[in-house]
Amino acid sequence: MAPKSKTVAAAAPPAHGYEFFGPVGAAGISVGLPILCYIFTFVCNDISGCPAPSLLSPKTLSIEQLKREVGWPDDGIYGLASWRASTAMAAYYLFNLVLYRILPATETKGTTLVTGGRLNYRLNTLYSNTLTLSLLAAGTLAQGAEFPVWVFISENYLQLLTASIIISYAIATFVYVRSFSVKAANKENRELAAGGHTGNLLYDWFIGRELNPRVTIPLIGEVDIKEWCELRPGMMGWIILNCAWCAQQYRNYGFVTDSIVCITVVQALYIFDSWWFESAILTTMDITTDGFGMMLAFGDLVWVPFVYSQQTRYLSLHPLSLGPAGLVAMLSLIGLGFFVFRSANSQKNTFRTNPSDPSVAHLKYIQTKTGSRLLTTGWWGVSRHINYLGDWIQSWPYCLPTGLAGYQIMAAGSLVEKSVGAFVMSDGRQVIQGSAKGWAIPITYFYVVYFAVLLIHRERRDDEKCHRKYGDDWVKYKEVVRWRIIPGIY
């Protein structure tokens, strides 16, 4: 019998080296991103302001004062978690699993694996999450902003964040350990990710050792962990958190502004688009190339819902109005970005699945030695990742409604200078910008900068992958389609 290590390695293509600066980068990201999530939570708060006042006066900064201003738990680090929030989060995941199993679904096959097989996928995210939203809408109609789900999220936000981090790390650890049971030529079509079996425990745990980890759960059946996490708990959680902050704004002030509604609606439409075209995810790099480890688990289950909803969280405390002109500008920008993003992706998917379709039959392409065809006209002749440009354009209307972000919360009855943009909360506290104006921009505009870095990095990774796959044909393709993302610039 062959040694076990050789048997496992045979189930995947050769590893192709480190990404993200190797083990050091993996360690930094694995520790740094959760800390950054907590920083966002504490620095921008409903107790003292955004940012906390002491941070604006570093010469007189006191740790004890800062703790009081940011709402650091009385019982210290133990207060970051609670059984109540953890149980609620576990119930939310279980509910998603039940809907995945009992609701109607479309059965489809994924792309061809290195083993030659194709996995079956059960797709019903649209039905599942629409039902969830319908139940939440019914509860809101019955009880308004006091609907217990919205109140619970606001009161336990910190602990829910911790629960999500723990779940993501637990899943990443589970799939890493289980990946060592992958055998060559297995009937389940299990295989290792090309970049995830370097032999370094930390790096492989972070990047993802197994390409398509699946698990069979009693009464639920088989679940593709990666595909399920991509679109269900985290993306749904993004909408839920936005709605919770809309409800919080109403409880704070007795009204809901057009800015917070605009962000909530356009982000919901972006998310619904991914649910509607769920089958398209099966051809993305996340599914076809990346292993499932901490990077994707944390990104799907923590980063997306908790970081991407920072703008609505901010506006729940400091309401701003766009006005008719501002609203039209935001919707126009989101419409432009969405048009580029969806048109480009639809054109690519149509060409891949039905190249004789009249809408793509006229497009020119390069025939590669692998049998694949690389488009050189149409959207994909403009730049090699024109869809990324559309995606990035859409990110701006998520952040612009927060304006020159920053606010201070003054105690009820405090004497403050009357000014435009001052608000009185339902408990009598006053919210003004004051000296905090502009200092919260790194928080509310973080998404735009981060997303640009993410897309550039993803494009570079894809470029390396395609060069390995297509060789000289990819070099020839890049000579024809010169620009990476932004035509004429990058």
Side-chain angles (χ1 to χ4, degrees):
M1 180 180 291
K4 184 177 180 181
S5 60
K6 291 185 178 180
T7 301
V8 174
H16 55 68
Y18 289 136
E19 297 180 82
F20 298 96
F21 303 103
V24 173
I29 295 172
S30 299
V31 174
L33 291 189
I35 292 176
L36 185 59
C37 289
Y38 284 121
I39 289 175
F40 284 159
T41 300
F42 286 118
V43 169
C44 201
N45 60 77
D46 62 354
I47 297 173
S48 61
C50 181
S54 291
L55 296 176
L56 300 178
S57 304
K59 291 183 178 181
T60 59
L61 181 62
S62 162
I63 296 300
E64 290 305 316
Q65 176 65 19
L66 183 60
K67 285 183 177 181
R68 288 192 292 271
E69 290 178 353
V70 303
W72 183 258
D74 293 336
D75 46 356
I77 194 171
Y78 298 104
L80 298 178
S82 74
W83 287 111
R84 188 166 177 247
S86 299
T87 301
M89 189 61 74
Y92 169 66
Y93 275 70
L94 178 60
F95 180 67
N96 272 274
L97 284 169
V98 171
L99 294 183
Y100 167 77
R101 175 47 50 194
I102 66 175
L103 293 180
T106 299
E107 302 285 344
T108 188
K109 288 185 177 294
T111 58
T112 303
L113 302 170
V114 172
T115 59
R118 297 176 68 188
L119 292 168
N120 291 317
Y121 287 88
R122 178 180 173 83
L123 309 180
N124 65 358
T125 300
L126 180 64
Y127 299 141
S128 174
N129 290 345
T130 299
L131 176 59
T132 301
L133 287 175
S134 297
L135 294 174
L136 292 172
T140 305
L141 286 173
Q143 296 179 287
E146 298 296 333
F147 181 44
V149 171
W150 308 139
V151 176
F152 181 87
I153 291 173
S154 294
E155 293 179 348
N156 298 272
Y157 177 75
L158 176 62
Q159 291 74 26
L160 291 171
L161 169 61
T162 302
S164 296
I165 293 173
I166 292 173
I167 290 173
S168 70
Y169 274 56
I171 292 177
T173 302
F174 170 77
V175 296
Y176 173 78
V177 173
R178 190 170 178 272
S179 71
F180 287 93
S181 64
V182 174
K183 306 295 183 182
N186 58 84
K187 295 180 180 179
E188 298 83 12
N189 285 318
R190 296 178 64 194
E191 66 179 50
L192 301 182
H197 56 110
T198 66
N200 184 281
L201 186 154
L202 174 61
Y203 180 82
D204 291 348
W205 170 80
F206 166 78
I207 206 73
R209 197 168 185 274
E210 187 173 353
L211 180 65
N212 42 258
R214 294 186 165 207
V215 63
T216 300
I217 303 174
L219 302 180
I220 301 296
E222 186 180 64
V223 178
D224 186 287
I225 299 176
K226 181 162 61 172
E227 200 277 335
W228 189 82
C229 287
E230 280 277 322
L231 296 178
R232 292 173 185 269
M235 294 287 265
M236 182 72 246
W238 184 3
I239 294 181
I240 290 175
L241 285 175
N242 279 343
C243 292
W245 298 129
C246 287
Q248 181 66 58
Q249 187 186 76
Y250 188 85
R251 290 197 301 274
N252 284 338
Y253 300 104
F255 59 81
V256 178
T257 58
D258 55 5
S259 59
I260 197 171
V261 171
C262 176
I263 294 175
T264 300
V265 170
V266 297
Q267 289 184 345
L269 290 175
Y270 175 82
I271 296 167
F272 260 93
D273 176 74
S274 68
W275 298 342
W276 185 272
F277 295 97
E278 184 176 8
S279 61
I281 196 178
L282 302 182
T283 63
T284 63
M285 182 187 296
D286 285 358
I287 300 296
T288 63
T289 304
D290 293 338
F292 187 79
M294 179 272 172
M295 180 180 73
L296 284 181
F298 184 88
D300 292 340
L301 307 178
V302 182
W303 193 256
V304 167
F306 288 92
V307 174
Y308 289 11
S309 61
Q310 283 300 314
Q311 292 80 24
T312 52
R313 180 170 178 258
Y314 171 88
L315 291 170
S316 72
L317 274 302
H318 185 237
L320 295 173
S321 179
L322 292 171
L327 191 59
V328 169
M330 294 303 103
L331 295 178
S332 298
L333 200 56
I334 196 74
L336 173 63
F338 181 79
F339 172 73
V340 174
F341 174 79
R342 178 46 56 202
S343 297
N345 281 341
S346 295
Q347 186 180 79
K348 178 180 66 176
N349 289 326
T350 300
F351 185 78
R352 283 179 173 177
T353 58
N354 184 20
S356 60
D357 188 288
S359 65
V360 297
H362 64 286
L363 298 178
K364 296 180 180 180
Y365 57 86
I366 292 176
Q367 182 72 52
T368 69
K369 299 180 184 67
T370 64
S372 300
R373 288 175 288 188
L374 304 174
L375 286 170
T376 57
T377 59
W379 279 113
W380 301 92
V382 178
S383 75
R384 302 198 288 271
H385 278 289
I386 190 66
N387 57 330
Y388 288 0
L389 175 59
D391 222 1
W392 190 62
I393 291 173
Q394 291 182 82
S395 69
W396 279 95
Y398 300 170
C399 305
L400 288 172
T402 63
L404 294 175
Y407 62 81
Q408 294 176 305
I409 299 178
M410 315 299 292
S414 298
L415 295 176
V416 297
E417 182 180 348
K418 295 289 183 180
S419 62
V420 177
F423 303 93
V424 179
M425 300 174 68
S426 57
D427 59 6
R429 290 183 297 166
Q430 298 181 66
V431 178
I432 63 171
Q433 284 209 286
S435 59
K437 185 175 182 178
W439 285 99
I441 286 178
I443 295 176
T444 63
Y445 286 79
F446 173 81
Y447 179 76
V448 168
V449 178
Y450 155 76
F451 203 45
V453 173
L454 172 70
L455 294 175
I456 291 172
H457 181 262
R458 182 173 293 179
E459 184 277 327
R460 294 293 177 125
R461 294 180 65 213
D462 188 62
D463 184 73
E464 293 177 4
K465 182 199 75 171
C466 290
H467 187 75
R468 289 193 300 268
K469 181 178 180 180
Y470 301 120
D472 293 340
D473 289 326
W474 185 249
V475 176
K476 180 180 177 183
Y477 167 71
K478 291 200 294 184
E479 291 175 352
V480 179
V481 184
R482 295 176 52 206
W483 304 108
R484 295 174 180 267
I485 298 176
I486 306 176
I489 298 177
Y490 176 75

